[in-house]
Amino acid sequence: MEFKRDVWSLLLVLLLGQLVAFSMAASSFASSLIANLGVDAPLTQSFLAYLLLTLVYVPIVLRRRQKLQIAWYWYLALAFFDVQGNYLVVKAYQYSYITSVTLLDCWTVVWVVMLTWYALGTRYSLWQFVGAGTCVAGLALVLLSDAKSQDEQDPKKIPLLGDALVIAGTVGFAFSNVGEEYCVKKKDRVEVVAMLGLFGLLISTAQILVFERKGLEAVTWSPTMISLFAGFAVAIFVFYTVAPFVLKMSGATLFNLSLLTSDMWAVAIRVLFYQQEINRLYYLAFAVVAIGLIIYSLNDRSSDDETAGSTEAPAQYQQLPIEDNSTRIGSSSGKRLIGPRS
């Protein structure tokens, strides 16, 4: 009886993991299609995602009639970093390919390791550094692949510029991920997601009025375009809602492996839908990144065991870097732990 329950639990985790991976792939597909249709409105895409999170989670918080467990200005700071991360990553689709954007999102792992090491005093094992270093080597191959393929298939693309935007965006994700993961573990998950949605909505609205208003006036809001924007928002909402449960039920290893399948979805989309060839270096890069994430994830569990008896805050961050990365809304998501990659 217990064996059957374990089997069903494993199947549920695998199903939810693939749901998270598919939601990330869906958000990436929507972003790439919007970019290919000539629309440049990354802030508006994020706005709709934050709006959906606000409409669903803020009423739950209000119904409780309780004081916020964390000061509002901390949520404002987290939302600011998250909005900037999403903006840069979604903007990257204007210049780079869906396969490169989704895989380069793994840079979040590197920044989170550095941030938690210097700012929070988190200590990592030698094998965790080996895993992170292997990921960096794989991501360097992605840059090399894009440098070789520049202008070969789409003269409008500037792959290296897009890659740079993704890497810059992952810095924002790293800051938001560390803060969000700490809040989720210490406080209430629903409150964190609700406040992230609310303040993300306010920040993206202000930035749209300043930077994106003229671009929106030029958009032709056809049923197809509306569907793409709505699809992106729903995909991000699903990621934010389901990802924390997958991480809690399965741990970092299976979570990261599940997220890697979203990169293969990106390959399928580029080959079958866009009918573009992919440089062989990309497949090598994917394999190297996968090996790096596996090494890091397996040794992350051992680090957790060593610090299980500690009550210090740094111990709470041992799983964080693996998610790539944390709560990317978040193109958003070694991947984003609580937020998706866009």
Side-chain angles (χ1 to χ4, degrees), residues 19-21 23-24 27 234-244 255 259 323-330 332-333 335-341:
L19 178 60
V20 170
S23 68
M24 291 180 64
S27 66
V234 171
I236 295 299
F237 175 82
V238 170
F239 185 96
Y240 269 99
T241 300
V242 179
F255 183 80
L259 292 182
E323 102 189 89
D324 223 334
N325 256 192
S326 161
T327 290
R328 214 176 69 178
I329 272 180
S332 33
S333 314
K335 315 291 182 179
R336 301 184 64 200
L337 204 61
I338 304 176
R341 299 172 294 172

Coordinates of all heavy atoms in Angstrom, one line a residue, residues 19-21 23-24 27 234-244 255 259 323-330 332-333 335-341:
L19 N 4.8 20.2 -16.0 CA 3.9 21.3 -16.1 C 4.7 22.6 -16.0 O 4.5 23.6 -16.7 CB 2.8 21.2 -15.1 CG 1.8 22.4 -15.1 CD1 1.1 22.5 -16.4 CD2 0.8 22.2 -13.9
V20 N 5.6 22.6 -15.0 CA 6.5 23.8 -14.8 C 7.3 24.0 -16.1 O 7.5 25.2 -16.6 CB 7.3 23.7 -13.6 CG1 8.4 24.8 -13.5 CG2 6.5 23.7 -12.3
A21 N 8.0 23.0 -16.5 CA 8.9 23.1 -17.7 C 8.1 23.5 -18.9 O 8.6 24.4 -19.7 CB 9.5 21.7 -18.0
S23 N 5.3 25.3 -18.9 CA 4.9 26.7 -18.8 C 6.1 27.6 -19.1 O 5.8 28.7 -19.7 CB 4.4 26.9 -17.3 OG 5.5 26.8 -16.4
M24 N 7.3 27.2 -18.8 CA 8.4 28.0 -19.1 C 8.6 28.1 -20.6 O 8.9 29.1 -21.2 CB 9.7 27.5 -18.5 CG 9.7 27.6 -16.9 SD 11.2 27.0 -16.2 CE 12.4 28.0 -16.9
S27 N 6.0 30.3 -22.2 CA 6.2 31.7 -22.1 C 7.3 32.1 -23.1 O 7.3 33.2 -23.7 CB 6.6 32.1 -20.7 OG 7.8 31.5 -20.3
V234 N -0.5 33.8 -18.6 CA -1.0 32.5 -18.0 C 0.2 31.6 -17.7 O 0.2 31.0 -16.7 CB -2.0 31.9 -18.9 CG1 -2.4 30.5 -18.4 CG2 -3.3 32.7 -19.0
A235 N 1.1 31.5 -18.7 CA 2.3 30.6 -18.5 C 3.1 31.0 -17.3 O 3.5 30.2 -16.5 CB 3.1 30.6 -19.8
I236 N 3.3 32.3 -17.1 CA 4.1 32.8 -16.0 C 3.3 32.6 -14.7 O 3.9 32.2 -13.7 CB 4.4 34.3 -16.2 CG1 5.3 34.6 -17.4 CG2 5.0 34.9 -14.9 CD1 6.6 33.9 -17.3
F237 N 2.0 32.8 -14.7 CA 1.2 32.5 -13.5 C 1.3 31.1 -13.1 O 1.4 30.8 -11.9 CB -0.3 32.9 -13.8 CG -1.2 32.6 -12.7 CD1 -1.3 33.4 -11.6 CD2 -1.9 31.4 -12.7 CE1 -2.2 33.1 -10.6 CE2 -2.8 31.1 -11.7 CZ -2.9 31.9 -10.6
V238 N 1.2 30.2 -14.1 CA 1.3 28.7 -13.7 C 2.7 28.4 -13.1 O 2.8 27.7 -12.1 CB 1.1 27.9 -15.0 CG1 1.4 26.4 -14.7 CG2 -0.3 28.0 -15.5
F239 N 3.7 29.0 -13.7 CA 5.1 28.8 -13.1 C 5.2 29.2 -11.7 O 5.6 28.5 -10.8 CB 6.1 29.5 -14.0 CG 7.5 29.2 -13.5 CD1 8.3 28.2 -14.2 CD2 8.1 29.9 -12.5 CE1 9.6 27.9 -13.8 CE2 9.4 29.6 -12.1 CZ 10.1 28.6 -12.7
Y240 N 4.7 30.5 -11.4 CA 4.8 31.0 -10.0 C 4.0 30.1 -9.0 O 4.3 30.0 -7.9 CB 4.3 32.4 -10.0 CG 5.4 33.4 -10.2 CD1 5.5 34.0 -11.4 CD2 6.2 33.8 -9.1 CE1 6.5 35.0 -11.6 CE2 7.2 34.8 -9.3 CZ 7.3 35.4 -10.6 OH 8.3 36.3 -10.7
T241 N 2.9 29.6 -9.5 CA 2.0 28.8 -8.7 C 2.5 27.4 -8.4 O 2.4 26.9 -7.2 CB 0.6 28.8 -9.3 OG1 0.1 30.1 -9.5 CG2 -0.4 28.0 -8.4
V242 N 3.0 26.7 -9.4 CA 3.3 25.3 -9.3 C 4.8 25.1 -8.8 O 5.0 24.1 -8.1 CB 3.1 24.6 -10.6 CG1 3.4 23.1 -10.5 CG2 1.6 24.8 -11.0
A243 N 5.7 25.9 -9.3 CA 7.1 25.7 -9.0 C 7.5 25.5 -7.5 O 8.2 24.5 -7.2 CB 8.0 26.8 -9.6
P244 N 6.9 26.3 -6.6 CA 7.3 26.0 -5.2 C 6.9 24.7 -4.7 O 7.6 24.0 -3.9 CB 6.5 27.1 -4.4 CG 6.3 28.2 -5.5 CD 6.1 27.5 -6.8
F255 N 13.9 18.8 -9.7 CA 13.4 20.1 -10.1 C 14.2 20.6 -11.3 O 13.7 21.1 -12.3 CB 13.4 21.1 -9.0 CG 12.8 22.5 -9.3 CD1 11.4 22.6 -9.4 CD2 13.6 23.5 -9.6 CE1 10.9 23.9 -9.7 CE2 13.1 24.8 -9.9 CZ 11.7 24.9 -10.0
L259 N 13.3 21.2 -15.3 CA 13.4 22.4 -16.0 C 14.3 22.3 -17.3 O 14.1 23.1 -18.2 CB 14.0 23.5 -15.1 CG 13.1 23.9 -13.9 CD1 13.8 25.0 -13.1 CD2 11.8 24.4 -14.4
E323 N 17.7 26.3 -8.4 CA 16.5 26.5 -9.2 C 16.8 27.3 -10.4 O 16.2 27.4 -11.2 CB 15.6 27.3 -8.3 CG 15.7 28.6 -8.8 CD 15.2 29.7 -8.3 OE1 15.9 30.2 -7.6 OE2 14.2 30.1 -8.6
D324 N 17.3 27.9 -10.8 CA 17.5 28.8 -12.0 C 16.2 29.0 -12.5 O 15.6 28.7 -13.0 CB 18.2 28.6 -13.1 CG 19.0 29.7 -13.6 OD1 19.2 30.4 -13.8 OD2 19.3 29.9 -13.9
N325 N 16.7 29.6 -11.0 CA 16.9 29.7 -10.8 C 16.0 29.9 -10.1 O 15.6 29.3 -10.6 CB 17.6 30.0 -11.2 CG 18.8 29.5 -11.2 OD1 19.0 29.6 -11.3 ND2 19.4 29.1 -11.2
S326 N 14.8 31.0 -9.0 CA 14.0 31.2 -7.8 C 12.6 31.7 -8.2 O 12.3 31.8 -9.3 CB 14.6 32.3 -7.1 OG 14.1 33.0 -6.3
T327 N 11.7 32.3 -7.1 CA 10.3 32.5 -7.5 C 10.2 33.3 -8.7 O 10.6 33.9 -9.1 CB 9.6 33.2 -6.4 OG1 9.4 32.4 -5.4 CG2 8.2 33.6 -6.8
R328 N 11.7 33.3 -12.5 CA 11.4 34.1 -13.2 C 10.7 33.8 -13.6 O 10.5 31.9 -14.8 CB 12.2 33.9 -14.3 CG 13.2 34.1 -15.6 CD 13.9 34.1 -16.7 NE 14.0 34.0 -17.3 CZ 14.3 34.0 -17.6 NH1 14.1 33.6 -18.7 NH2 13.6 34.0 -18.2
I329 N 9.0 36.1 -11.5 CA 8.2 35.8 -12.7 C 9.1 35.4 -13.7 O 9.7 35.2 -14.1 CB 7.5 37.1 -13.1 CG1 6.2 37.1 -12.3 CG2 7.0 37.0 -14.5 CD1 5.4 38.3 -12.6
G330 N 10.1 35.5 -14.3 CA 10.7 35.5 -14.3 C 11.1 34.7 -15.1 O 11.6 33.9 -15.5
S332 N 11.1 34.2 -15.6 CA 11.6 34.1 -15.0 C 12.8 33.2 -14.6 O 12.6 33.7 -16.0 CB 11.3 34.5 -15.7 OG 10.7 34.7 -16.2
S333 N 12.6 31.0 -14.4 CA 12.7 30.6 -13.9 C 14.4 30.7 -13.9 O 14.1 30.1 -15.6 CB 12.2 30.1 -14.4 OG 12.0 30.3 -14.5
K335 N 17.6 27.0 -12.7 CA 16.6 27.8 -13.3 C 16.1 28.6 -12.2 O 16.4 28.5 -11.1 CB 15.6 26.9 -13.9 CG 16.1 25.8 -14.7 CD 16.8 26.2 -15.9 CE 17.3 25.1 -16.7 NZ 17.9 25.4 -17.9
R336 N 15.1 29.5 -12.5 CA 14.6 30.3 -11.4 C 13.7 29.4 -10.5 O 12.9 28.7 -11.0 CB 13.7 31.4 -12.0 CG 14.5 32.2 -12.9 CD 13.6 33.3 -13.4 NE 13.3 34.1 -12.4 CZ 12.3 34.9 -12.4 NH1 11.5 35.0 -13.4 NH2 12.0 35.7 -11.4
L337 N 13.9 29.6 -9.2 CA 13.3 28.7 -8.2 C 11.9 29.0 -8.1 O 11.1 28.0 -8.1 CB 14.0 28.9 -6.9 CG 13.9 27.7 -6.0 CD1 14.5 26.5 -6.6 CD2 14.5 28.0 -4.6
I338 N 11.4 30.2 -7.9 CA 10.0 30.4 -7.7 C 9.5 31.2 -8.9 O 8.3 31.3 -9.1 CB 9.8 31.2 -6.5 CG1 10.4 30.5 -5.3 CG2 8.3 31.4 -6.2 CD1 10.3 31.2 -4.0
G339 N 10.3 31.8 -9.8 CA 9.8 32.5 -10.9 C 10.4 32.0 -12.2 O 11.4 31.4 -12.2
P340 N 9.8 32.1 -13.4 CA 10.2 31.4 -14.6 C 11.1 32.2 -15.5 O 11.3 33.3 -15.3 CB 8.9 31.3 -15.3 CG 8.1 32.4 -14.8 CD 8.7 32.8 -13.5
R341 N 11.6 31.5 -16.5 CA 12.3 32.2 -17.5 C 11.3 32.5 -18.5 O 10.5 31.7 -18.9 CB 13.4 31.3 -18.1 CG 14.4 30.8 -17.1 CD 15.3 29.8 -17.7 NE 14.6 28.6 -18.0 CZ 15.1 27.6 -18.6 NH1 16.3 27.7 -19.1 NH2 14.4 26.5 -18.8

